[in-house]
Amino acid sequence: LNSQETRWLAAHDGKIRIGHAPDWPPMDFKDKNGIQRGMVVDYIALVEEKLGISFVQVNVDSWAEILVLAKNRELDMISAGQETEERKRFMYWSTPYLSLDTTIIVKKDIQGSLKLDEMEGMTIGVPREYAIGEFIRANYPNLLIVDVVNPSDGINKVSFGEIDAMVTEVP
């Protein structure tokens, strides 16, 4: 960091508000005791250590709430997220520090690999407010997309036959 950046960080130590996803295991989630855990949490802790500062964690209940708080300038940063055209309107984005594959999850009775352009007529779950939903809606307008609360909710809905497929990150 240059001297100006170092001074800015020192002046804002303990004042930079961060939002962590409450329900994105194993990446970023609250454990049964309400403690934030996951690989993203560990990474942010390393950033704090390297910079010699502490972020202030803002308690949130959903990814959708994180986006609302960010739009309203009640968060200064989010722990992890994907840049979209909509999100660029209210946030600056760093170079990604994490790259995750996306997968389609279906019940065992559906054999072979699926591609989105082959899924017309299927009910497809995507986590509410996740970038993948925005991408699918924009590029595959004929698909029936259903918002689910989070990846676990969508996987459960596939398991119980409430939706045909779930599109989410591999972790």
Side-chain angles (χ1 to χ4, degrees):
L1 300 177
N2 64 38
S3 60
Q4 181 182 7
E5 292 166 334
T6 302
R7 283 192 308 274
W8 188 92
L9 283 173
H12 292 84
D13 185 21
K15 298 176 185 169
I16 301 170
R17 302 163 298 178
I18 185 170
H20 281 276
D23 55 5
W24 187 38
M27 304 307 294
D28 204 1
F29 63 97
K30 290 180 185 174
D31 68 14
K32 63 182 178 182
N33 298 316
I35 307 296
Q36 201 70 39
R37 304 276 185 208
M39 293 170 53
V40 169
V41 175
D42 295 342
Y43 185 83
I44 295 297
L46 288 172
V47 170
E48 289 176 309
E49 182 181 319
K50 292 274 187 197
L51 295 176
I53 65 167
S54 295
F55 300 126
V56 175
Q57 184 173 320
V58 175
N59 190 37
V60 296
D61 294 321
S62 68
W63 176 249
E65 183 182 2
I66 287 175
L67 294 177
V68 168
L69 293 174
K71 280 182 188 176
N72 293 337
R73 304 284 188 229
E74 296 173 52
L75 285 178
D76 301 306
M77 62 187 282
I78 59 173
S79 59
Q82 190 171 350
E83 178 180 325
T84 68
E85 289 304 313
E86 166 63 22
R87 294 173 188 174
K88 285 194 304 189
R89 294 181 190 154
F90 61 91
M91 296 176 73
Y92 293 109
W93 291 85
S94 69
T95 302
Y97 68 87
L98 182 62
S99 177
L100 301 172
D101 290 332
T102 301
T103 191
I104 300 169
I105 299 169
V106 294
K107 290 178 83 172
K108 284 184 178 183
D109 59 346
I110 297 178
Q111 299 296 314
S113 61
L114 282 175
K115 295 179 182 162
L116 288 170
D117 56 2
E118 302 168 343
M119 297 177 69
E120 198 164 324
M122 296 177 78
T123 304
I124 304 162
V126 295
R128 185 174 292 118
E129 301 292 336
Y130 276 36
I132 189 64
E134 186 176 318
F135 172 82
I136 295 171
R137 284 180 174 95
N139 293 287
Y140 299 90
N142 294 332
L143 296 182
L144 177 57
I145 305 301
V146 175
D147 285 328
V148 296
V149 176
N150 56 45
S152 298
D153 177 48
I155 292 168
N156 284 334
K157 287 183 184 310
V158 169
S159 297
F160 290 104
E162 296 174 41
I163 59 177
D164 298 312
M166 173 67 191
V167 180
T168 191
E169 297 92 358
V170 172

